[in-house]
Amino acid sequence: MKKIYLDNASTSFPKPKCVIDAISNYMTEIGCNPGRGAYEQSLDSGRMVYEARKLINDLFNGPSPNNVVFTKNITESLNIAMKGLFKTNWHIITTSMEHNSVMRPLRNLQDKLNITVDIAECNKYGVLDVKTVESLINDNTKAIVMTHCSNLTGTIMPIMEIGKLCREKGLFFIVDTAQTAGIIDIDFDKMGLDILTFTGHKGLLGPQGIGGFIISDRANKITDTFIEGGTGSESHLETQPNFLPDKFESGTLNTPGIAGLKASIEFIKNVGISNIRQHEKNLTSLFLEGLHRINNIEVYGPCDAELKTGTVPININGMDPGEVSYILDNEYKIMTRSGIHCAPSAHRTIGIYPKGAVRFSIGYFNTLEDIDKALYALKCISN
Amino acid sequence: MKKIYLDNASTSFPKPKCVIDAISNYMTEIGCNPGRGAYEQSLDSGRMVYEARKLINDLFNGPSPNNVVFTKNITESLNIAMKGLFKTNWHIITTSMEHNSVMRPLRNLQDKLNITVDIAECNKYGVLDVKTVESLINDNTKAIVMTHCSNLTGTIMPIMEIGKLCREKGLFFIVDTAQTAGIIDIDFDKMGLDILTFTGHKGLLGPQGIGGFIISDRANKITDTFIEGGTGSESHLETQPNFLPDKFESGTLNTPGIAGLKASIEFIKNVGISNIRQHEKNLTSLFLEGLHRINNIEVYGPCDAELKTGTVPININGMDPGEVSYILDNEYKIMTRSGIHCAPSAHRTIGIYPKGAVRFSIGYFNTLEDIDKALYALKCISN
């Protein structure tokens, strides 16, 4: 039986072949570390890294390739962003649909920096009303940090409107694009972002182990370093360099990961994000329609594929989500993820805490056949 | 002309073929994220990660696989170790041969936590006298953080003796094994370590982008988290789990990197660290002997290969190190690294600051022929 992967919100799979080839080629042909003024092969490595920065900056319409910083994953990016930018006693706004990668560092900063946090409640579809956010802004509010899209319901957030609000009110704006980068158009400039955090291994179709962020010059000015160490620059100084991207990139870079991410972004550019989005939207529509025709199934999140990504959480009445996922894997070779998805607040928001849900998440490499088989399996299990 | 890579102290090259194959295989056959109680392919991913932890714990004789934490590189490991463990007003001892991955975070903590730092001066060969360290210990001293081996001179430090001292005096002991892991036997328990930081891509022959640390239970008890976020555990809580390794591992792991590192450690186990060390020592001896027969060359660090790794810094009288490296690469296809090597204090210690040096660093895949060619090239350039 052919395996069907529907856990793309966790990591995309498979990866385009060019990604794996790029990593192998890098490791075989270049392999060494970037270095200024070193040998040719090291300069090749540096050029590859720069080209990757440029691709990412172009993809997101960032301010400059040097404002693109590489990290190991978006969780590190979010930690650097919040811990570096937020100052003592700041008031911060976030939403009730956030992943623990936002919630847990915020909790830490409440203790360490005495920041205060207000959470904008979303409705039971995970939809955020901009007015709710606006009503939480006070004289001490300095920043909004939020996801571009819920990892539980796939609900797309009104980033453009919140960005406009941030500009009007002079707030810093940090966005978690874990669920949207590579799938939905993101424009750093038009969306009024200060820190766009991204991960390489989900919609961007790259390997696990590489992520990053793009930071505005105004946010960078007051953002502290997070990891200090060797940068290959200003090596005579025992203080961290103050310029981008070195300020935030200490130690050896994940160059094989960057080579893989570079290849995957080239792949995405060739396919076109709008085509990727259209394909995923079509499959999501069909999946949602099919789900609504099956008895005993509860579907969470928006019903309209236009308002969401391909992430669809469901429950079968009377069954534990873990049991459903187990049967899907064991009997139908369909891979999904059950539980709280590192987003307890989001589960509370849509009213399924602590039960959780079975999360299906559609990716670019899924087919109509995958959706049909998933629907067939759910029909059998729910009967 | 065949290229000769002599920059293994920066990153080892080439990597064993099994490492590149393991990454490709992982990405093609498994690919997805580890997960407790998820589908089979996800459990395979989790098993692979656990086996890698076990291999690393065995290699270094650590307390348990769960005390092995993965990071992106040793610089992150050192930052987590120092920033998590050190408390306000602590007195810390380090050495004058440290890399900026130790020096820069220490500088940061002097400002942020008001720690005080004393630096044990090494001699002009980079050799540390244990008595110097002992003389710096005061009633407020809480920890020693130092390298196992200088990345400039290759000088091996008396870790066993310093570890003994730490146990006697009740100090925490953090060691940077960037230059020794996979090359020299390291025993977490016998050496009296509390935090052993390692990187995967140098002597361990794995890919860039993966490193880690092993932490003792007593150090872990008082070490704060560094990056909070989703861990796939205690997902219903918005606080970071308090158990190892999840406490320090937030967000998606670099599973391709871990797969590569696992393969490289298996490779090292098959070859045997003592054989690797012997091979590198032989080549280093021959290189040192040859260097001493060439006029106009200054060699830094110990003259005896027994006391050092295969890292040999030199200068040709009257020439800039960058120029020498450039000629080596351009005319002889020999790759070396020039400058301050992210270790200004070490350069001061051996008396070549700010000039720097040309650093040759021998790895397991170098041959006698490589050494002969390097010596020939240096003879020609220095004439």
Side-chain angles (χ1 to χ4, degrees), chain B residues 3-24:
Chain B
K3 285 185 184 178
I4 296 172
Y5 184 77
L6 284 165
D7 192 19
N8 290 282
S10 166
T11 193
S12 55
F13 183 80
K15 307 297 182 189
K17 188 172 171 296
C18 63
V19 173
I20 299 164
D21 290 346
I23 295 172
S24 295

Side-chain angles (χ1 to χ4, degrees), chain A residues 234-246:
Chain A
E234 295 188 348
S235 288
H236 59 292
L237 296 180
E238 288 177 356
T239 49
Q240 191 73 357
N242 198 32
F243 52 84
L244 290 172
D246 299 34

Side-chain angles (χ1 to χ4, degrees), chain A residues 7 10 31 33 39-40 72-73 76 79 83 104 208 226 228-229 234-235 237 239 252 329 336-337 344, chain B residues 7 10 31 33 39-40 72-73 76 79 83 104 208 226 228-229 234-235 237 239 252 329 336-337 344:
Chain A
D7 192 18
S10 166
N33 286 341
Y39 44 91
E40 195 54 41
K72 65 178 173 182
N73 57 29
E76 183 188 352
N79 273 263
K83 292 178 180 174
R104 286 179 170 173
Q208 291 103 328
F226 187 65
E228 300 87 33
E234 295 188 348
S235 288
L237 296 180
T239 49
T252 296
D329 180 42
T336 60
R337 202 165 280 250
Chain B
D7 192 19
S10 166
N33 285 341
Y39 45 89
E40 196 53 42
K72 65 179 174 179
N73 56 30
E76 183 189 354
N79 273 263
K83 292 177 180 173
R104 285 178 171 173
Q208 291 105 325
F226 187 66
E228 299 88 32
E234 296 188 344
S235 288
L237 296 181
T239 49
T252 297
D329 180 43
T336 60
R337 203 164 279 251

Side-chain angles (χ1 to χ4, degrees), chain B residues 69-83:
Chain B
V69 174
F70 288 113
T71 62
K72 65 179 174 179
N73 56 30
I74 195 167
T75 304
E76 183 189 354
S77 306
L78 284 161
N79 273 263
I80 296 175
M82 290 188 267
K83 292 177 180 173

Side-chain angles (χ1 to χ4, degrees), chain A residues 323-343:
Chain A
E323 187 191 353
V324 176
S325 269
Y326 177 78
I327 298 171
L328 281 167
D329 180 42
N330 198 46
E331 294 183 22
Y332 300 92
K333 301 284 172 213
I334 295 173
M335 298 175 254
T336 60
R337 202 165 280 250
S338 280
I340 300 294
H341 307 95
C342 297

Side-chain angles (χ1 to χ4, degrees), chain B residues 320-376:
Chain B
D320 176 77
E323 187 190 355
V324 175
S325 270
Y326 177 78
I327 298 171
L328 282 167
D329 180 43
N330 199 46
E331 294 182 21
Y332 301 92
K333 300 285 173 211
I334 295 173
M335 298 177 253
T336 60
R337 203 164 279 251
S338 280
I340 300 294
H341 308 96
C342 296
S345 171
H347 281 263
R348 273 187 214 101
T349 303
I350 68 169
I352 54 167
Y353 182 88
K355 182 182 181 181
V358 184
R359 186 183 70 178
F360 290 78
S361 50
I362 295 165
Y364 177 64
F365 292 108
N366 283 120
T367 62
L368 190 53
E369 198 192 345
D370 294 346
I371 302 303
D372 284 343
K373 285 191 175 161
L375 289 168
Y376 171 77

